[in-house]
Amino acid sequence: MLKIIGTSHISKQSVNDIKEQFNSYEPEILCLELDMPRFNALMSTKKEEKTIKDYILEIRHLGFKGFLFSLIGAYIEKKLGSSVGTEPGVDMKTAANLAIKNKLPIFLIDQDIKITLRKFSKSITFREKFNFFMDIIKSLFGFNQFKDMKIKIDLNKVPSNKDIEKILKFVKKRYPNFYLVLIEERNQIMAKNIANLIKNYPKKKILAVVGAGHENEIAKLTKKYLNSAS
């Protein structure tokens, strides 16, 4: 049995949704949209202090574009989290702590972040970089593309499926390689990992916690992989 829940990495609603699923669904296995480096960083009680040497090594491993994207993404997520009084990754940390408390096995189903960012660094095109730059400039002058698409953003809540579909459609059209590397390919990897778990533990109740926007496609792909294997 499988249940997939889509969360926001900074919303309080996601924390409540996860707690509710642990109480009502009573999972026996937890899957997280994380890899080992991100899981260790999330669960660590020590604040990581990076040196210039660490940053140079990251640029070498990830590529400059991948490193820059990671840096900007982390900064934005932290700023958004502080605006609603949460820490980035509060959804995953809540799920992990509940699994530990209930002595459940935790499986990390996402691709290694270094691989994802290296692919991103190699695949992002000049046009996508230009579009990204223009979108930032527009936002500085108060132009909100999501408002133009009639999408209401409430950081305390998980976006609706309808709004997520609009956002993903926009990203896929304007940033096709970004969409391919950061969403489509990772969905395939996570779905394959979940399908393998279901085959190995057919009688176990599995709860997968993934970012909102991933869950529907992962559910479809998981079903596809299970059917093709049978």
Side-chain angles (χ1 to χ4, degrees), residues 108-122:
L108 308 178
I109 58 173
D110 203 357
Q111 178 173 251
D112 188 311
I113 187 65
K114 292 185 181 70
I115 296 172
T116 301
L117 291 174
R118 277 201 300 268
K119 286 183 178 180
F120 173 83
S121 197
K122 290 177 182 177

Side-chain angles (χ1 to χ4, degrees), residues 32-70:
L32 295 176
E33 182 206 332
L34 290 172
D35 57 11
M36 189 56 75
R38 282 184 292 159
F39 178 78
N40 288 337
L42 184 67
M43 302 304 288
S44 175
T45 55
K46 295 179 182 178
K47 189 176 180 182
E48 185 182 10
E49 296 290 343
K50 291 186 178 180
T51 64
I52 301 245
K53 185 179 178 181
D54 292 327
Y55 287 122
I56 291 171
L57 285 172
E58 281 189 23
I59 292 171
R60 285 179 182 171
H61 289 148
L62 308 178
F64 181 73
K65 288 175 279 188
F67 168 77
L68 192 61
F69 175 79
S70 174

Side-chain angles (χ1 to χ4, degrees), residues 211-225:
H214 288 287
E215 71 268 32
N216 291 338
E217 190 62 24
I218 287 175
K220 290 177 189 175
L221 288 168
T222 300
K223 188 175 181 180
K224 174 187 169 184
Y225 296 143

